[in-house]
Amino acid sequence: MATKQNDVIDKFSYLSIETQQETGTNNGINPLWLIPYSFKCGYSFQCPLTFKQLIDRQMSQKYFQEILTVTEQTNKIYDFHMRLRSQDQYGLMVDFIYKNADDQSGPVKGDACISCDTNNQLSQLSLIKQNLTTYIRLDTQLRNKLIVTPRRHIERLSNMTKEEMIQFWHETQVVLDEEGCDWQSMVLNHGKYRKHVHLQMKINIEQHQWNQYIKKKYEEKIQQMQHLLKCNEHNPIQTCVVHQKFNQWSKIRSNQPMRKTCTDMKGK
C-alpha cells in the first residue's frame, strides 16, 4: 500500500515538473521551491520531491545551487547552519539558520586538516569509503553520524564545481543505500558555524538503525577508534585539527619533540 502511495505522489511530482517546463521553467526547478519561509532562527525552503527523487531526476545540483545563490548572493548571508530534513514521502525541507551567527566562533585554523591528511591514523580508521570526489567516514567522536567530505579542500558547498556537487549528492545517496539505513537530517555548517575548515556534511542516523546496521557492520573499526581516542589524555579531535605539529597520529611529523601515545608505546 505504501509503495502505491509513493508511486502516486511521485507521479504528481513528475506532472508538476512537466507543467513547470511547459510554462517556461526550462531547468525543472519550480520557482516556488526557491521561496524562503521565515522562522525564528532563519528561513526554510520547501521542496515537494524527496532527496532521492532530486538525485534520480538529476536535479540535486541545480536545486541546491539555486538555494545557495538565494542565500549567499541575493541575501548576502555567508555564516549559516544548513540543515536538510526529510519529510518522508512529502519531500524535503532545507533550513538556513543564521540569526545567531555573532555567537559563533568559527573554526580554529591551523596547519593541519584532518580531512586532507590521509596519513592521520584517526582519519584512516574512520574511513569507510573513498570515491572519486568524496570521502565517507564514521564520525571521529563516535556519534551516530556518517561524515561526507569532498576530497578536494573546499570550505563552502558553493565552491564545488557542477560535477563535484552532482557527485557529492549522488555518493551520499549511494552510501545510504549500501548501508541500508535512512537519514534524519544532514548538516553542512558554513562560515562561523563551522568547527572544521574543510567542508563536512554530517548525516544523522536514528539510533536504532545505527546500532542495527552501522555499528554492527563496523564494530571492529569502532573499537579501534575507541582505543585510539582513549590513548590520548587531551582532546584527540582538537589535537588532530588545530596544528600539524601536535597531530600525534599523523606520519607527517614535525621536528619538534612529541609526547608518546599508547600507539607509540604499544611495542614496548
Side-chain angles (χ1 to χ4, degrees), residues 17 29 33 45 49 53 55 90 168 177 188 262:
I17 292 169
I29 304 297
W33 305 359
F45 296 91
L49 299 183
Q53 287 171 339
I55 293 167
Y90 300 108
F168 183 82
D177 291 340
L188 300 103
C262 293

Side-chain angles (χ1 to χ4, degrees), residues 94-140:
V94 185
D95 303 324
F96 284 82
I97 297 170
Y98 61 90
K99 292 186 178 179
N100 61 338
D102 290 341
D103 299 330
Q104 311 303 318
S105 58
V108 178
K109 293 189 177 182
D111 295 337
C113 174
I114 190 173
S115 299
C116 293
D117 182 6
T118 55
N119 290 316
N120 182 287
Q121 193 172 354
L122 188 59
S123 294
Q124 291 175 346
L125 281 176
S126 62
L127 183 67
I128 61 174
K129 187 176 183 181
Q130 50 184 328
N131 302 301
L132 186 63
T133 60
T134 60
Y135 291 119
I136 314 291
R137 289 188 168 94
L138 299 172
D139 177 52
T140 51

Side-chain angles (χ1 to χ4, degrees), residues 162-214:
K162 178 180 178 180
E163 185 58 34
E164 283 174 334
M165 194 180 291
I166 290 171
Q167 291 301 314
F168 183 82
W169 297 117
H170 172 73
E171 288 162 5
T172 296
Q173 183 61 54
V174 167
V175 76
L176 288 169
D177 291 340
E178 289 176 347
E179 301 301 339
C181 54
D182 297 323
W183 59 280
Q184 291 182 312
S185 64
M186 301 184 193
V187 173
L188 300 103
N189 290 318
H190 287 68
K192 294 180 180 179
Y193 285 84
R194 295 172 298 164
K195 299 298 182 186
H196 303 280
V197 176
H198 197 117
L199 180 70
Q200 295 186 343
M201 182 169 72
K202 305 178 187 73
I203 306 176
N204 294 303
I205 310 293
E206 187 271 328
Q207 189 66 56
H208 176 73
Q209 289 202 9
W210 179 266
N211 293 339
Q212 184 176 0
Y213 299 108
I214 308 295

Side-chain angles (χ1 to χ4, degrees), residues 16-17 20 25 27-35 48 59 63:
S16 175
I17 292 169
Q20 295 156 30
T25 306
N27 58 18
I29 304 297
N30 189 325
L32 293 176
W33 305 359
L34 306 178
I35 297 175
M59 298 169 66
Y63 178 65

